[in-house]
Amino acid sequence: MKYRSTRGSPKLLSFSEAVLVGLAEDGGLFIPTNIPSLPENWRKDWSDLTFNSLALEIFSLYIPTEEISREELKQLIDNSYSKFNSNDITPLKKIRENLYILELFHGPTFAFKDVALQFLGNLFEYLLEKKNKEKKEKEKITILGATSGDTGSAAIYGLRGKKNISVFILHPRGKVSPVQEAQMTTVLDKNIHNLAVEGTFDDCQDIVKNLFADRSFNEKHHLGAINSINWARILAQIVYYYHSYFQILSSLNITAESKELKGIYFQYCVPTGNFGDILAGYYAKKMGLPISKLVVSTNSNDILDRFFKSGRYERSKGENGLIVKETLSPAMDIAISSNFERLLWYLAYENISKKDEGKRERSEEEKVKEASNIIKEWMQDVKINKSLVVEKSILDIALCDFKSERVSDQETLDTICKYYAPENKDQNSYIFDPHTAIGVTAADRQNTSPNTYQICLATAHPAKFSQAVEKALENFKEFKFESILPKEFIGLLEREKKVIFVERAEPSSVKQTIENELDIE
Ligand SMILES: *Cc1c(COP(=O)(O)O)cnc(C)c1O
């Protein structure tokens, strides 16, 4: 198994190389040369596996043992999920008939990004260590990233204390929520550096891009990225689609081999921003997991919802010149979706294969080349015209696997209320975070039959987004926010902090700060 760029560079990379470099040289994203299919007896053999054992089976399909032995991979997985506060790692809760919540927030920062970043942190350390084995002069890397909240804290918790890795995370000073700010800055490990930049999130992101493009700086410090396009993050997220499938079957008392499964449908609703979480569901489905549909659920930053409704992928013109709207679900406030290029590649490829039907079929190599050429053109369109349009046959292919919904802030609040105080008295009360509430709103809109089971991915713990939750529940006098606070959050804001202020939002100031810190470290 090798990895290729979506934009057609002929160079194929190993798994380790693709993980360490993150983005392909030609600006494309890495995809596996083929999507592996499942072992013949997976329904039986995997049905009782723990999350970790399932991860081992799934990762093994994408990582050759010559690169990481099975033993070592198992060790990496076990380390990565040892800090989760649930034995199931990603437990599944039934909320009402046919509706389940897949809780992805049991990691150290209480958001779904931990599932991938805990693994990625260990993987980085392992791959570096291996590279350094024969070297006198140890190679070090400097991870650099900008965050508006969730990614930064999950990356910091994934990389704290890791050997030969220094981490610099930029956040806009005073513009991330107090809990998120404290989650990042109370990590005191020597290799972790929080930079509070006097500016906006976009300023932070621009500075990061600028430093990555700065050849000599980049080469000197071996810059590395942890953003959501890293292939290892997608891979790690495939596991919970399988895990939840087996959990549902077990709660329904049927096995994956049972004939009763015919006529039963499984639909996953995924709160979506950069398209990483739901893309993992797409891979799960293409490998052979019987998912009927994946429901892309966006907030009012709805570029993806508009695509699935029209075939047009177009940056929003925005009000007041603002491209990204601020919503109650900030982790999904995006202008374009960085992982979407991967799906577009598969859509282009399938469309080419379809057109070939009944004619002389082109070779695999020719089809891959053509799909990559199409992607290059589309990405050029997005860059220059801020939009791309696909033909109907391509949209039809997308709609075989996906549906989409757009959810407003008001609907998000209504959903939090509705499930906190359900009308049906037999139904348990459940408090959603605003991101999760978007997926649940999308699920509630589906006119599904009694044979359809919907699984909503819960991407954050409600205590992380107090503003939205308190606003939604302000009329319930008995509701006390403190009652949902995890013990880890108590006293968090008062704890000792380590943060460096950067007064000018300029690449040169940040560069200077990084070099000073690396000298001391
Ligand atoms: C990052 C994030 C999302 C969006 O996930 P994508 O993979 O970017 O689509 C949703 N909810 C929360 C809480 C997040 O942190």
Side-chain angles (χ1 to χ4, degrees):
M1 170 81 66
K2 291 271 183 184
Y3 291 82
R4 71 159 59 96
S5 164
T6 47
R7 300 198 190 169
S9 157
K11 199 160 135 192
L12 298 184
L13 272 68
S14 67
F15 171 80
S16 315
E17 290 168 328
V19 169
L20 284 176
V21 301
L23 192 71
E25 265 173 8
D26 58 5
L29 309 188
F30 291 113
I31 52 174
T33 44
N34 66 297
I35 298 181
S37 41
L38 300 169
E40 202 178 328
N41 293 327
W42 71 276
R43 289 185 180 81
K44 181 159 180 288
D45 296 351
W46 290 9
S47 63
D48 294 324
L49 296 186
T50 60
F51 182 96
N52 288 12
S53 305
L54 207 45
L56 181 60
E57 296 306 326
I58 291 169
F59 293 0
S60 299
L61 299 174
Y62 288 91
I63 309 171
T65 43
E66 304 84 68
E67 285 190 59
I68 306 179
S69 73
R70 201 170 158 91
E71 265 316 295
E72 287 172 310
L73 189 57
K74 180 176 183 318
Q75 197 66 55
L76 282 171
I77 293 168
D78 289 346
N79 282 343
S80 301
Y81 300 112
S82 63
K83 297 192 192 79
F84 280 60
N85 66 20
S86 162
N87 286 337
D88 275 338
I89 311 299
T90 57
L92 188 73
K93 304 261 165 83
K94 183 173 170 183
I95 296 297
R96 58 166 169 75
E97 274 324 303
N98 299 57
L99 185 72
Y100 292 77
I101 301 298
L102 176 54
E103 294 184 348
L104 303 178
F105 51 72
H106 291 274
T109 74
F110 296 87
F112 96 96
K113 292 187 172 68
D114 287 327
V115 179
L117 282 164
Q118 284 291 310
F119 176 62
L120 187 64
N122 285 317
L123 188 60
F124 267 150
E125 185 179 54
Y126 166 88
L127 293 176
L128 263 181
E129 199 114 297
K130 211 159 130 180
K131 264 178 113 175
N132 278 337
K133 238 185 196 147
E134 288 100 46
K135 287 190 187 163
K136 262 219 214 79
E137 179 94 7
K138 301 281 178 234
E139 183 176 325
K140 292 185 174 172
I141 57 172
T142 306
I143 298 289
L144 179 61
T147 188
S148 56
D150 269 3
T151 307
S153 52
I156 286 169
Y157 274 82
L159 292 163
R160 63 189 298 184
K162 297 285 181 245
K163 279 186 233 107
N164 297 317
I165 303 178
S166 304
V167 182
F168 290 84
I169 300 292
L170 282 59
H171 69 263
R173 183 179 178 184
K175 294 194 177 74
V176 298
S177 82
V179 168
Q180 289 181 324
E181 198 260 355
Q183 275 188 314
M184 296 192 283
T185 57
T186 55
V187 174
L188 305 177
D189 299 64
K190 249 172 56 185
N191 72 326
I192 302 295
H193 310 272
N194 280 288
L195 274 51
V197 177
E198 205 61 72
T200 62
F201 169 64
D202 286 330
D203 292 333
C204 295
Q205 205 157 25
D206 286 343
I207 294 172
V208 167
K209 277 190 196 151
N210 189 293
L211 296 191
F212 269 98
D214 183 332
R215 264 254 168 87
S216 65
F217 187 77
N218 194 336
E219 275 170 21
K220 182 165 165 206
H221 299 295
H222 298 125
L223 296 189
I226 35 77
N227 44 22
S228 74
I229 53 99
N230 196 297
W231 169 253
R233 286 184 63 175
I234 308 292
L235 176 59
Q237 290 163 186
I238 296 175
V239 180
Y240 45 71
Y241 286 90
Y242 281 85
H243 192 49
S244 57
Y245 175 73
F246 287 116
Q247 284 169 295
I248 287 210
L249 293 191
S250 138
S251 82
L252 295 175
N253 248 328
I254 46 181
T255 68
E257 301 160 291
S258 159
K259 292 221 168 49
E260 290 168 62
L261 266 179
K262 253 206 150 100
I264 296 188
Y265 300 96
F266 299 94
Q267 180 160 295
Y268 284 74
C269 299
V270 189
T272 297
N274 273 320
F275 206 73
D277 203 1
I278 198 163
L279 182 73
Y282 176 79
Y283 278 101
K285 185 170 192 299
K286 291 293 163 186
M287 287 162 74
L289 188 68
I291 295 176
S292 56
K293 284 277 168 11
L294 294 155
V295 184
V296 176
S297 314
T298 77
N299 63 24
S300 48
N301 293 291
D302 59 353
I303 181 167
L304 289 169
D305 180 53
R306 285 182 282 119
F307 172 82
F308 286 102
K309 301 235 153 90
S310 69
R312 181 180 271 276
Y313 183 74
E314 182 173 40
R315 283 183 84 136
S316 144
K317 304 273 186 314
E319 302 136 26
N320 332 319
L322 283 176
I323 307 274
V324 180
K325 296 184 198 116
E326 268 184 42
T327 71
L328 292 172
S329 41
M332 290 154 59
D333 289 348
I334 46 92
I336 53 170
S337 271
S338 50
N339 271 297
F340 195 53
E341 181 170 338
R342 285 190 168 109
L343 176 68
L344 285 172
W345 191 91
Y346 289 106
L347 297 180
Y349 177 86
E350 266 195 53
N351 194 44
I352 294 164
S353 306
K354 263 214 166 117
K355 279 185 182 163
D356 276 2
E357 270 166 30
K359 293 191 220 141
R360 181 192 74 86
E361 222 185 291
R362 273 165 281 195
S363 71
E364 175 66 16
E365 200 180 322
E366 285 170 317
K367 286 194 282 187
V368 164
K369 198 163 168 201
E370 186 167 338
S372 306
N373 284 338
I374 294 173
I375 293 300
K376 261 194 289 199
E377 272 171 37
W378 282 348
M379 290 304 134
Q380 198 65 16
D381 285 345
V382 174
K383 197 167 166 190
I384 295 168
N385 310 320
K386 306 259 184 274
S387 73
L388 72 88
V389 186
V390 303
E391 55 194 276
K392 181 162 181 310
S393 60
I394 291 189
L395 184 58
D396 287 345
I397 294 171
L399 294 177
C400 291
D401 298 318
F402 293 96
K403 295 186 198 174
S404 85
E405 297 289 344
R406 170 198 201 269
V407 176
S408 69
D409 273 352
Q410 188 55 52
E411 290 167 311
T412 306
L413 296 173
D414 291 347
T415 295
I416 297 175
C417 272
K418 179 174 141 189
Y419 282 85
Y420 172 69
E423 271 168 24
N424 175 354
K425 289 288 163 253
D426 298 334
Q427 194 178 319
N428 287 332
S429 164
Y430 192 105
I431 299 174
F432 296 123
D433 103 287
H435 305 80
T436 306
I438 286 181
V440 175
T441 310
D444 280 345
R445 277 190 208 156
Q446 311 298 314
N447 255 327
T448 52
S449 69
N451 298 337
T452 301
Y453 293 89
Q454 298 202 84
I455 301 98
C456 295
L457 275 55
T459 51
H461 189 287
K464 266 196 112 158
F465 295 94
S466 58
Q467 195 204 348
V469 173
E470 287 187 298
K471 192 166 171 191
L473 303 181
E474 66 191 356
N475 291 331
F476 296 94
K477 293 283 170 279
E478 79 288 358
F479 172 71
K480 295 272 175 294
F481 190 74
E482 298 71 44
S483 68
I484 60 165
L485 270 189
K487 63 178 187 319
E488 289 83 349
F489 284 8
I490 296 167
L492 181 70
L493 300 180
E494 286 78 46
R495 239 174 265 162
E496 184 186 351
K497 291 183 181 169
K498 191 177 95 163
V499 58
I500 304 155
F501 296 109
V502 179
E503 281 179 25
R504 282 175 309 138
E506 283 165 15
S508 58
S509 311
V510 171
K511 229 162 122 170
Q512 194 56 53
T513 309
I514 292 177
E515 303 221 297
N516 292 348
E517 288 298 309
L518 285 175
D519 279 347
I520 311 170
E521 197 189 296

Short mmCIF file of all heavy atoms in Angstrom, two decimals, residues 111-113 150 271-277 331-332 433 435 459-460 465, ligand 1:
data_model
loop_
_atom_site.label_atom_id
_atom_site.label_comp_id
_atom_site.label_asym_id
_atom_site.label_seq_id
_atom_site.Cartn_x
_atom_site.Cartn_y
_atom_site.Cartn_z
N ALA A 111 -13.09 16.55 22.99
CA ALA A 111 -13.63 16.74 21.64
C ALA A 111 -13.14 15.59 20.75
O ALA A 111 -12.15 14.92 21.06
CB ALA A 111 -13.19 18.07 21.07
N PHE A 112 -13.83 15.39 19.64
CA PHE A 112 -13.54 14.21 18.83
C PHE A 112 -12.14 14.22 18.23
O PHE A 112 -11.60 13.18 17.89
CB PHE A 112 -14.60 14.05 17.72
CG PHE A 112 -14.23 14.63 16.39
CD1 PHE A 112 -13.67 13.82 15.41
CD2 PHE A 112 -14.42 15.96 16.11
CE1 PHE A 112 -13.32 14.35 14.17
CE2 PHE A 112 -14.07 16.50 14.87
CZ PHE A 112 -13.51 15.68 13.91
N LYS A 113 -11.53 15.39 18.13
CA LYS A 113 -10.20 15.47 17.51
C LYS A 113 -9.16 14.66 18.29
O LYS A 113 -8.14 14.26 17.74
CB LYS A 113 -9.77 16.92 17.34
CG LYS A 113 -10.65 17.63 16.30
CD LYS A 113 -10.16 19.01 15.96
CE LYS A 113 -10.93 19.61 14.80
NZ LYS A 113 -12.34 19.92 15.14
N ASP A 150 -10.50 24.13 19.13
CA ASP A 150 -10.42 22.68 19.35
C ASP A 150 -9.16 22.00 18.85
O ASP A 150 -8.59 21.16 19.53
CB ASP A 150 -11.63 22.00 18.69
CG ASP A 150 -12.79 21.89 19.65
OD1 ASP A 150 -12.67 22.39 20.78
OD2 ASP A 150 -13.82 21.32 19.25
N PRO A 271 -21.72 16.26 12.10
CA PRO A 271 -21.49 17.71 12.10
C PRO A 271 -20.19 17.98 11.35
O PRO A 271 -19.16 17.43 11.69
CB PRO A 271 -21.32 18.06 13.58
CG PRO A 271 -21.75 16.86 14.35
CD PRO A 271 -21.65 15.68 13.46
N THR A 272 -20.26 18.81 10.32
CA THR A 272 -19.13 18.87 9.38
C THR A 272 -18.60 20.27 9.16
O THR A 272 -19.37 21.23 9.02
CB THR A 272 -19.57 18.25 8.03
OG1 THR A 272 -19.89 16.87 8.24
CG2 THR A 272 -18.46 18.33 6.99
N GLY A 273 -17.26 20.37 9.15
CA GLY A 273 -16.57 21.62 8.83
C GLY A 273 -15.55 21.37 7.73
O GLY A 273 -15.80 21.60 6.55
N ASN A 274 -14.40 20.83 8.11
CA ASN A 274 -13.35 20.56 7.14
C ASN A 274 -13.46 19.20 6.46
O ASN A 274 -12.56 18.78 5.74
CB ASN A 274 -11.97 20.71 7.79
CG ASN A 274 -11.50 22.14 7.72
OD1 ASN A 274 -11.71 22.82 6.70
ND2 ASN A 274 -10.90 22.63 8.79
N PHE A 275 -14.56 18.50 6.70
CA PHE A 275 -14.87 17.27 5.99
C PHE A 275 -13.93 16.10 6.35
O PHE A 275 -13.83 15.14 5.61
CB PHE A 275 -14.83 17.51 4.47
CG PHE A 275 -15.70 16.57 3.67
CD1 PHE A 275 -17.08 16.69 3.68
CD2 PHE A 275 -15.15 15.55 2.91
CE1 PHE A 275 -17.89 15.82 2.96
CE2 PHE A 275 -15.95 14.66 2.18
CZ PHE A 275 -17.32 14.81 2.20
N GLY A 276 -13.26 16.17 7.51
CA GLY A 276 -12.37 15.08 7.88
C GLY A 276 -13.13 13.93 8.52
O GLY A 276 -12.94 12.77 8.16
N ASP A 277 -13.99 14.27 9.46
CA ASP A 277 -14.73 13.26 10.20
C ASP A 277 -15.61 12.43 9.26
O ASP A 277 -15.59 11.21 9.28
CB ASP A 277 -15.60 14.01 11.24
CG ASP A 277 -15.97 13.14 12.41
OD1 ASP A 277 -15.55 11.97 12.44
OD2 ASP A 277 -16.70 13.62 13.30
N ALA A 331 -16.30 25.44 15.77
CA ALA A 331 -15.35 24.49 15.18
C ALA A 331 -15.75 24.11 13.76
O ALA A 331 -15.01 23.42 13.06
CB ALA A 331 -15.23 23.24 16.05
N MET A 332 -16.93 24.56 13.34
CA MET A 332 -17.38 24.29 11.97
C MET A 332 -17.48 25.57 11.15
O MET A 332 -18.07 25.56 10.07
CB MET A 332 -18.73 23.57 12.00
CG MET A 332 -18.61 22.15 12.53
SD MET A 332 -20.12 21.54 13.28
CE MET A 332 -21.26 21.69 11.92
N ASP A 433 -23.82 19.35 22.94
CA ASP A 433 -23.03 20.54 22.63
C ASP A 433 -23.59 21.07 21.29
O ASP A 433 -24.28 20.34 20.57
CB ASP A 433 -21.54 20.18 22.55
CG ASP A 433 -21.05 20.10 21.13
OD1 ASP A 433 -21.41 19.12 20.45
OD2 ASP A 433 -20.39 21.04 20.65
N HIS A 435 -22.33 21.64 18.35
CA HIS A 435 -21.94 20.94 17.12
C HIS A 435 -22.76 19.66 16.96
O HIS A 435 -23.32 19.38 15.91
CB HIS A 435 -20.44 20.61 17.14
CG HIS A 435 -19.58 21.81 17.35
ND1 HIS A 435 -19.38 22.35 18.60
CD2 HIS A 435 -18.91 22.60 16.48
CE1 HIS A 435 -18.60 23.41 18.49
NE2 HIS A 435 -18.31 23.60 17.22
N THR A 459 -19.50 15.36 18.69
CA THR A 459 -18.10 15.75 18.47
C THR A 459 -17.48 16.51 19.64
O THR A 459 -16.28 16.71 19.64
CB THR A 459 -17.96 16.57 17.18
OG1 THR A 459 -18.92 17.63 17.21
CG2 THR A 459 -18.21 15.71 15.96
N ALA A 460 -18.28 16.99 20.57
CA ALA A 460 -17.69 17.67 21.73
C ALA A 460 -18.58 17.49 22.96
O ALA A 460 -19.79 17.25 22.85
CB ALA A 460 -17.50 19.16 21.45
N PHE A 465 -18.67 24.16 25.40
CA PHE A 465 -19.31 25.27 24.70
C PHE A 465 -20.44 25.84 25.56
O PHE A 465 -21.61 25.79 25.22
CB PHE A 465 -19.79 24.81 23.32
CG PHE A 465 -18.63 24.43 22.44
CD1 PHE A 465 -18.18 23.12 22.36
CD2 PHE A 465 -17.93 25.41 21.75
CE1 PHE A 465 -17.07 22.78 21.59
CE2 PHE A 465 -16.81 25.09 20.98
CZ PHE A 465 -16.39 23.78 20.90
C1 LIG B 1 -13.39 19.94 14.21
C2 LIG B 1 -14.76 19.80 14.75
C3 LIG B 1 -15.87 19.52 13.90
C4 LIG B 1 -15.74 19.42 12.40
O1 LIG B 1 -15.05 18.29 11.96
P1 LIG B 1 -14.43 18.23 10.48
O2 LIG B 1 -13.63 16.99 10.44
O3 LIG B 1 -13.60 19.48 10.34
O4 LIG B 1 -15.58 18.21 9.53
C5 LIG B 1 -17.11 19.36 14.48
N1 LIG B 1 -17.30 19.50 15.81
C6 LIG B 1 -16.27 19.77 16.65
C7 LIG B 1 -16.55 19.92 18.09
C8 LIG B 1 -14.97 19.92 16.15
O5 LIG B 1 -13.97 20.20 17.00
#
